[in-house]
Amino acid sequence: MQPLHQGRPEWWKADLVAGITVAAYLIPQCMAYAELAGLPPISGLWAILPPLLLYALLGSSPQLSVGPESTTAVMTAAAIGPLAAGDPGHYAGLASLLALVVGGLCCLGAWGRLGFLADLLSKPILVGYMAGVAVIMITSQLGRICGLTLAADSIGGQIQELVQRHVEVHGPTLALAAAVLTFLVVLQRRWPSLPAPLLAVLLATAVVAALQLDRQGVAVIGPIPAGLPQLSLPLGETLPTLRSLLPTAAGIALVGYSDNVLTARAFAARNGYRIDANRELLALGAVNLGNGLLQGFPVSSSGSRTAIGDTAGSRSQVFSLVAFLVVILVLLALRPVLALFPKAALGSIVIYAALRLIDLGEFRRLRSFRSSEWQLALATLAGVLLTDLLTGVAVAVALSVIDLFSRLVRPNDAVLGEVPQLAGLHDIHDWAGARTLPGLVIYRYDAPLCFANADHFRRRALAAIEAETTPVAWFVVNAEAIVEIDISAADMLIELIQELRHRQIVLGLARVKQDLYGQLVRAGLLDAIGADHIFPTLSSARQEFLRSRPPACASAGVRDDVQTSGAEPAGSSRHE
């Protein structure tokens, strides 16, 4: 799967179907989001046009659907409602101005290459996030498939309200929704190559028309207003107004970018391609600038529309261009065609797409790989469901950083020795019969040295020396994993050198990378250690040690299969 400029002609058929299917869903959805933002429904259709076109040209994801969505719509209404003072014209101008500011902030972030922030979103976060989004997508459709308008906005509240109002459930609406969902499941399993969502919408529309279900209370999209957006600049706003919008604009930019990258990366991981985080930030900025110039409001990505496109077979951003053309046709000529689309059928499509986002196999894989990663996915899921998308992701990122920091503070370490009939040096804890050379300790520490683990390194190094059964003359640090040190670690090493020197133990370093070597020079450690005790390989360190020792020492006893006290489980790299 590739972005628009790398798409293949053989994918266009699938993209055509996906584009029509997504357009059928986004038209009523975007109209609803415009109302949620406090704007006329037609603004939702206007606000989808620039994103569909600009993201197809600038975005890095071949599947992401960008445009109006609920979170940014709610944040827009909360920010500009008090400022508009009930004036619809002023309200629309403020919404456009807010979109321009959001777009400008995103473009500044892309210029500053702040896309690296997306690297904090690890695979467990993606798995948990998409599962949480899927649950939200499903619960958001409960009222639609039951023929009810639910007042609650939380997941628990919606379920509780539905239970309390179960006698009000509209039977024909629920039956139609259930039939569409069953049709989708059966058709996708038996004939996966067919465009199940599009066929479901068309058949449901035909059923509504034939049986006149709209007259029996089955909700349909209804009349769609006409018109195209006009280029307009909100020039009448004052500088104080702009300043008051900046905090909200920054929040919307953060929420929108997080949502964009999380959704794009999740689908990229599912379908085997990669995205460019900085390019995503630039594309988000461009689509919001476009909306600000065409009477729109701030937008981000839509997980539900992306999922529907994926289900329908989208392969490149050609599907967005198809959806763009469908919306144009609807605005100009085809509004009556969509009037009988049943909302319950669209709700079933969303539920079906959401079910495909819950990857139980990934949860099981994370649990079998490392419990902390599985717990992180569950924490993300819980955070998204119990708070909101941004807070849930923020909590998950914080937990991910804490987990990473804990591995940095207490990394794996090892004393290396010889193993009979096995080349190289290995962790003596891992092999029966492993032994160290008498008087020589070769110690590996599997992390960079910094303020957070400097004391841990010192304690573990001294513990390795104390565990030897014969007096230690040389202590050689295998520095292959120590790519850098900070000043706190440098001071610790100086103290350790002095302490070992007091014990008449020589400290050496092996496998020192060039960057680390430069830091040793700048910290004065090279002079303290001595250039003759910096070795390119572990073998050269052992040979130099043997040359420096009297013959009698070389024949002394050896340490066999000894583990330093309290050593952590060994890592994946265990030999020279």
Side-chain angles (χ1 to χ4, degrees):
M1 299 183 184
Q2 302 292 340
L4 178 63
H5 68 284
Q6 295 178 346
R8 301 176 183 175
E10 60 265 30
W11 295 346
W12 289 357
K13 181 179 179 181
D15 286 329
L16 175 65
V17 172
I20 296 173
T21 306
V22 170
Y25 177 71
L26 68 82
I27 289 172
Q29 185 191 54
C30 292
M31 293 170 64
Y33 287 158
E35 292 182 313
L36 189 60
L39 294 161
I42 188 65
S43 296
L45 297 184
W46 292 348
I48 192 60
L49 295 176
L52 287 174
L53 181 61
L54 292 174
Y55 186 84
L57 298 174
L58 299 176
S60 67
S61 169
Q63 293 187 288
L64 190 67
S65 179
V66 176
E69 53 86 33
S70 59
T71 306
T72 54
V74 170
M75 295 178 73
T76 297
I80 64 180
L83 299 176
D87 183 351
H90 190 203
Y91 196 106
L94 287 172
S96 297
L97 177 61
L98 185 60
L100 287 172
V101 177
V102 170
L105 291 176
C106 290
C107 289
L108 284 175
W111 176 75
R113 305 197 64 80
L114 297 182
F116 74 90
L117 296 175
D119 293 336
L120 295 176
L121 307 176
S122 62
K123 181 63 177 288
I125 291 179
L126 295 178
V127 173
Y129 173 83
M130 291 309 295
V133 168
V135 174
I136 292 174
M137 288 168 59
I138 292 171
T139 56
S140 69
Q141 303 303 312
L142 292 178
R144 176 174 287 179
I145 65 174
C146 293
L148 300 175
T149 300
L150 300 180
D153 54 7
S154 66
I155 294 175
Q158 289 173 333
I159 295 175
Q160 182 179 5
E161 182 179 354
L162 182 62
V163 172
Q164 293 172 345
R165 297 175 57 188
H166 68 278
V167 295
E168 303 176 38
V169 172
H170 189 250
T173 299
L174 182 59
L176 179 64
V180 170
L181 185 59
T182 302
F183 174 83
L184 287 168
V185 173
V186 173
L187 195 67
Q188 198 68 31
R189 288 184 178 179
R190 296 287 301 274
W191 299 281
S193 62
L194 293 179
L198 179 58
L199 292 176
V201 169
L202 295 177
L203 289 175
T205 303
V207 169
V208 169
L211 302 180
Q212 298 184 333
L213 294 180
D214 55 320
R215 298 183 181 181
Q216 300 178 34
V218 174
V220 295
I221 292 177
I224 297 174
L228 292 176
Q230 302 295 319
L231 183 66
S232 176
L233 282 173
L235 299 177
E237 305 304 333
T238 62
L239 185 60
T241 300
L242 179 62
R243 289 175 178 171
S244 66
L245 290 177
L246 272 175
T248 300
I252 292 176
L254 179 60
V255 171
Y257 180 60
S258 299
D259 195 27
N260 258 40
V261 172
L262 279 167
T263 304
R265 287 186 61 181
F267 280 92
R270 290 165 61 88
N271 295 306
Y273 56 86
R274 301 185 67 83
I275 65 163
D276 184 327
N278 274 307
R279 192 168 156 191
E280 287 301 304
L281 192 52
L282 176 62
L284 182 62
V287 300
N288 277 286
L289 288 175
N291 265 357
L293 295 175
L294 291 175
Q295 305 176 48
F297 55 92
V299 297
S300 177
S301 65
S302 170
S304 60
R305 295 196 298 269
T306 304
I308 289 172
D310 178 57
T311 302
S314 63
R315 304 293 298 274
S316 75
Q317 281 295 327
V318 169
F319 92 94
S320 290
L321 297 185
V322 172
F324 174 85
L325 294 175
V326 170
V327 175
I328 293 292
L329 287 174
V330 167
L331 288 171
L332 294 178
L334 300 179
R335 298 185 309 280
V337 176
L338 300 180
L340 289 178
F341 273 22
K343 295 182 179 180
L346 296 176
S348 295
I349 292 175
V350 173
I351 291 174
Y352 175 69
L355 291 174
R356 294 164 61 91
L357 298 181
I358 303 176
D359 197 338
L360 296 179
E362 278 299 308
F363 277 99
R364 288 192 292 266
R365 188 168 77 95
L366 290 173
R367 185 174 186 178
S368 63
F369 176 72
R370 181 183 289 144
S371 61
S372 63
E373 305 243 18
W374 174 67
Q375 292 164 1
L376 181 58
L378 292 180
T380 306
L381 171 61
V384 168
L385 296 181
L386 298 179
T387 57
D388 55 62
L389 294 178
L390 181 62
T391 303
V393 171
V395 170
V397 168
L399 293 174
S400 182
V401 171
I402 291 173
D403 181 55
L404 174 64
F405 193 67
S406 67
R407 295 201 295 271
L408 175 67
V409 173
R410 297 292 183 270
N412 176 67
D413 64 347
V415 173
L416 304 181
E418 295 178 335
V419 177
Q421 299 181 347
L422 187 62
L425 298 175
H426 306 266
D427 187 342
I428 62 173
H429 173 62
D430 290 348
W431 300 90
R435 61 182 185 179
T436 60
L437 191 65
L440 173 64
V441 172
I442 299 178
Y443 177 70
R444 192 189 69 214
Y445 197 75
D446 294 336
L449 287 181
C450 62
F451 69 95
N453 59 20
D455 186 64
H456 179 259
F457 174 89
R458 176 182 173 278
R459 288 186 286 106
R460 299 294 297 148
L462 294 176
I465 292 173
E466 295 296 335
E468 290 295 306
T469 56
T470 58
V472 175
W474 277 35
F475 183 80
V476 175
V477 178
N478 177 3
E480 61 181 316
I482 305 176
V483 294
E484 63 178 3
I485 60 173
D486 63 10
I487 196 64
S488 300
D491 291 343
M492 177 276 298
L493 287 174
I494 290 175
E495 294 175 2
L496 180 61
I497 291 170
Q498 294 172 349
E499 183 171 355
L500 294 182
R501 189 170 294 160
H502 180 72
R503 298 188 185 190
Q504 297 183 336
I505 299 175
V506 174
L507 185 138
L509 296 178
R511 306 188 73 171
V512 177
K513 295 178 173 61
Q514 195 63 32
D515 290 342
L516 177 60
Y517 188 88
Q519 291 175 334
L520 296 177
V521 172
R522 292 191 294 273
L525 280 165
L526 187 63
D527 293 335
I529 297 172
D532 56 336
H533 289 118
I534 304 293
F535 305 102
T537 65
L538 299 182
S539 297
S540 61
R542 292 175 74 252
Q543 292 170 3
E544 184 61 27
F545 167 75
L546 291 173
R547 281 196 295 267
S548 70
R549 303 303 294 159
C553 293
S555 61
V558 297
R559 171 191 174 194
D560 293 334
D561 194 16
V562 180
Q563 179 188 5
T564 56
S565 175
E568 289 81 6
S572 60
S573 175
R574 306 188 181 281
H575 56 83
E576 180 182 356

